[in-house]
Amino acid sequence: MDRRKGGDREANGGLAEATASRLRFDSDEEAEAEEVGMDVEESAGAEGDEQEGEEVVGSDKTSADYYFDSYSHFGIHEEMLKDVVRTKSYQNVITQNSFLFKDKIVLDVGAGTGILSLFCAKAGAKHVYAIECSQMADMAKEIVNKNGYANVITVIKGKVEEIELPVPKVDVIISEWMGYFLLFENMLNTVLYARDKWLADDGVVLPDKASLHLTAIEDAEYKDEKIEFWNNVYGFDMSCIKKQAMMEPLVDTVDANQIVTNCQLLKTMDISKMTPGDASFTVPFKLVAERNDYIHALVAYFNVSFTKCHKVMGFSTGPRSKATHWKQTVLYLEDAITICQGETLMGTMTVTPNKKNPRDIDIKLKYSLDGHRCQVSRTQYYKMR
């Protein structure tokens, strides 16, 4: 599964571009309520044409190159920049809390086009070090120069784990590290590495809190289209593919009207204190039906908070908030569960990085229901690739 690549739901299961409005938590009580209920060369002409085109970063890459260096392509950055919730939230955090940045040394981890670095520079940062591993770093340097911040922003091309900064410590680390299901692509570990190596004792990590949430939905129509489709493909039995289809979580936008149960907080992460091992966990859940209905899938989403601001700020990727490019993560169940109002679907979810590729995620889901019309107990496994 590729992160942040466009296309509509009908085409490839819902990796479409979408935008949304920012969510602000105006008090601790509201935040708690939300937790419980709720980012070359120009093509040549004919052979033998000796005319040289202007070099354009990334334009000489093939699809194979993008597989290994997908963040070099401008399209992914366009989608993220046009995600108003993501980009405007970061902009508001920086511009409305300039006391966090004024005359401070800032480290931007995974800078991309350099948009967060530009916000920080505009807010009065003394200097910003923007680290970007992909070829987009070359374009970020040009963007910085074009906007007159070359004396404030230094773009460093390379992996965080392999580069050295010209300063021993930084005051602020800012990063948009979140992936699908919060943890897909595992960029969080890179932020934690930078924190442990460079952040001053009284320094700030932004964002500093992230939480994963779970709910259950009715989704018979689309489950039939996506999963049961393999039972009869133009008259042929291809049901052997169903198991693989079930194991791959679907990234898609869920209609709030599909929600059958409460939304439960699964896990809260304090980015300023956690260790890399904290991204592997097993947590219990209890989802209580709010009406008589059927459950075809569980849905995970995340919230992000900036608690060091003058007033706590943040945003949600939940189905009751407007859509972001992260959408939600849908885990289809083998069973179509009949549940009555007040009954509880309970279980545990285990999340671990894949052993072969730690940027991928393995999910183990155990669930059971002892209801009036349905009794079920099952364990399912999912792989986010």
Side-chain angles (χ1 to χ4, degrees):
M1 187 191 78
D2 291 331
R3 177 183 175 197
R4 299 177 180 167
K5 294 185 180 177
D8 59 23
R9 175 170 180 162
E10 290 73 17
N12 67 358
L15 300 182
E17 172 186 333
T19 58
S21 62
R22 180 171 58 89
L23 223 171
R24 174 182 289 192
F25 300 131
D26 289 333
S27 67
D28 292 338
E29 290 78 14
E30 287 183 21
E32 181 178 353
E34 178 65 16
E35 286 186 336
V36 174
M38 301 229 243
D39 128 312
V40 214
E41 295 177 357
E42 203 171 58
S43 300
E47 184 176 355
D49 186 355
E50 296 180 357
Q51 181 179 359
E52 293 184 3
E54 180 182 354
E55 185 172 309
V56 177
V57 174
S59 64
D60 62 345
K61 290 187 170 293
T62 67
S63 59
D65 293 315
Y66 291 136
Y67 180 81
F68 296 103
D69 195 10
S70 61
Y71 283 90
S72 293
H73 190 261
F74 74 89
I76 291 175
H77 297 277
E78 179 183 0
E79 182 182 10
M80 292 188 288
L81 290 168
K82 286 181 176 178
D83 183 337
V84 178
V85 171
R86 167 198 180 269
T87 309
K88 196 69 177 177
S89 291
Y90 276 89
Q91 183 184 35
N92 288 340
V93 163
I94 295 166
T95 59
Q96 295 176 21
N97 297 276
S98 58
F99 71 93
L100 292 173
F101 302 91
K102 181 71 173 175
D103 299 324
K104 300 295 178 63
I105 305 296
V106 179
L107 177 61
D108 181 359
V109 176
T113 59
I115 186 66
L116 301 187
S117 295
L118 292 166
F119 290 154
C120 292
K122 192 173 182 179
K126 181 178 181 180
H127 204 89
V128 182
Y129 294 98
I131 304 178
E132 174 57 38
C133 185
S134 78
Q135 297 296 324
M136 187 55 65
D138 299 325
M139 193 66 76
K141 291 179 183 179
E142 185 175 341
I143 292 169
V144 167
N145 290 336
K146 279 184 176 292
N147 287 275
Y149 288 104
N151 61 329
V152 180
I153 301 173
T154 300
V155 179
I156 302 173
K157 186 177 181 180
K159 294 181 179 179
V160 168
E161 296 82 358
E162 297 175 359
I163 63 99
E164 290 296 334
L165 291 181
V167 294
K169 294 293 179 180
V170 300
D171 302 301
V172 178
I173 293 178
I174 193 165
S175 179
E176 191 277 88
W177 55 266
M178 300 79 70
Y180 296 136
F181 192 72
L182 183 62
L183 297 170
F184 182 62
E185 287 193 338
N186 201 25
M187 188 179 162
L188 174 58
N189 280 0
T190 298
V191 175
L192 300 183
Y193 178 92
R195 178 201 67 187
D196 294 342
K197 186 172 182 178
W198 289 302
L199 188 64
D201 291 341
D202 58 349
V204 175
V205 180
L206 299 171
D208 60 317
K209 296 286 177 64
S211 56
L212 188 65
H213 301 251
L214 191 70
T215 189
I217 62 168
E218 182 281 323
D219 201 20
E221 182 178 352
Y222 197 55
K223 185 184 178 185
D224 282 344
E225 179 183 330
K226 188 71 179 173
I227 306 297
E228 305 304 330
F229 161 79
W230 297 105
N231 289 331
N232 185 342
V233 182
Y234 297 97
F236 298 99
D237 184 346
M238 298 188 182
S239 58
C240 57
I241 296 178
K242 279 179 61 176
K243 183 177 180 180
Q244 183 177 349
M246 287 288 295
M247 289 181 68
E248 183 172 337
L250 179 72
V251 174
D252 202 359
T253 300
V254 171
D255 189 327
N257 293 325
Q258 295 177 264
I259 298 174
V260 176
T261 69
N262 63 307
C263 300
Q264 183 181 331
L265 169 67
L266 288 180
K267 177 78 172 179
T268 298
M269 298 180 183
D270 185 338
I271 316 305
S272 62
K273 298 178 181 178
M274 68 178 291
T275 66
D278 294 335
S280 299
F281 52 86
T282 298
V283 288
F285 63 84
K286 292 183 179 180
L287 300 176
V288 181
E290 297 177 343
R291 62 175 185 260
N292 292 353
D293 212 325
Y294 302 94
I295 293 175
H296 299 97
L298 301 188
V299 173
Y301 63 93
F302 64 87
N303 296 347
V304 169
S305 299
F306 300 79
T307 71
K308 303 300 182 182
C309 298
H310 175 66
K311 191 173 184 179
V312 176
M313 302 174 74
F315 61 88
S316 175
T317 65
R320 288 194 170 103
S321 301
K322 293 181 181 179
T324 71
H325 78 277
W326 286 289
K327 305 178 184 175
Q328 293 88 43
T329 302
V330 181
L331 305 159
Y332 281 113
L333 306 180
E334 292 186 22
D335 308 281
I337 296 175
T338 304
I339 195 166
C340 299
Q341 185 175 4
E343 293 181 346
T344 301
L345 179 69
M346 58 192 308
T348 61
M349 177 180 285
T350 300
V351 178
T352 55
N354 180 260
K355 291 180 180 179
K356 291 184 178 180
N357 183 357
R359 293 194 180 276
D360 295 341
I361 297 176
D362 293 333
I363 302 169
K364 178 182 178 182
L365 184 67
K366 297 178 68 174
Y367 61 89
S368 63
L369 172 68
D370 185 13
H372 177 65
R373 294 175 179 159
C374 181
Q375 295 80 41
V376 64
S377 179
R378 191 182 293 277
T379 300
Q380 288 185 232
Y381 297 87
Y382 304 87
K383 300 178 183 294
M384 293 195 76
R385 300 291 186 263

